[in-house]
Amino acid sequence: CSAPCAEAMRAHSEQFGCCWETVMQAYSQLDGRAASAWRSWQGTLSGKCGVSFQRDSCGDSAGEGQFRRLRAQVAQLRKSQAASAALIRGLVSELGGLGRDLCELQGEWVPCASL
């Protein structure tokens, strides 16, 4: 493979708008035969031109990392809210007659008279 060809292949891979391995992950999900064909082409390109795109991974798909972090934050908030609700229930129970005026409605404590 000539140097201009190898350079053209590197430049073309950058025009995907994402990295080669990320594109290959998408092909694997969409059509295994297409992914296999592209892998074969990549092997030929690597063997004949010395061009390898494997090290150029984008990591998470667009927005996926942010979505995972957001889901983790929501899970942590739910866990914290559940712990707080359990603590409040325990305190209301300990108050005995004094806590009877409080009712839990959709996860919030409100005066029972307002229901």
Side-chain angles (χ1 to χ4, degrees):
C1 180
S2 67
C5 178
E7 186 56 37
M9 290 297 102
R10 281 190 193 94
H12 184 67
S13 73
E14 292 174 12
Q15 293 173 359
F16 276 102
C18 199
C19 303
W20 178 256
E21 281 304 309
T22 304
V23 171
M24 290 305 301
Q25 289 171 13
Y27 269 111
S28 295
Q29 295 298 314
L30 297 173
D31 184 350
R33 290 177 302 188
S36 179
W38 277 112
R39 281 283 178 216
S40 178
W41 176 81
Q42 181 189 17
T44 301
L45 185 65
S46 176
K48 292 189 177 190
C49 297
V51 177
S52 175
F53 304 117
Q54 292 180 347
R55 67 182 176 277
D56 297 327
S57 176
C58 291
D60 291 331
S61 299
E64 188 175 340
Q66 292 173 342
F67 178 70
R68 287 181 185 175
R69 284 189 296 277
L70 181 59
R71 284 184 63 171
Q73 289 174 339
V74 168
Q76 182 60 36
L77 287 172
R78 286 183 175 155
K79 185 177 178 181
S80 177
Q81 188 271 337
S84 295
L87 177 64
I88 292 171
R89 276 192 296 277
L91 291 172
V92 168
S93 175
E94 290 293 320
L95 287 174
L98 296 175
R100 69 176 173 232
D101 293 335
L102 295 177
C103 296
E104 188 175 9
L105 177 67
Q106 297 179 352
E108 293 188 28
W109 292 94
V110 296
C112 293
S114 68
L115 298 177

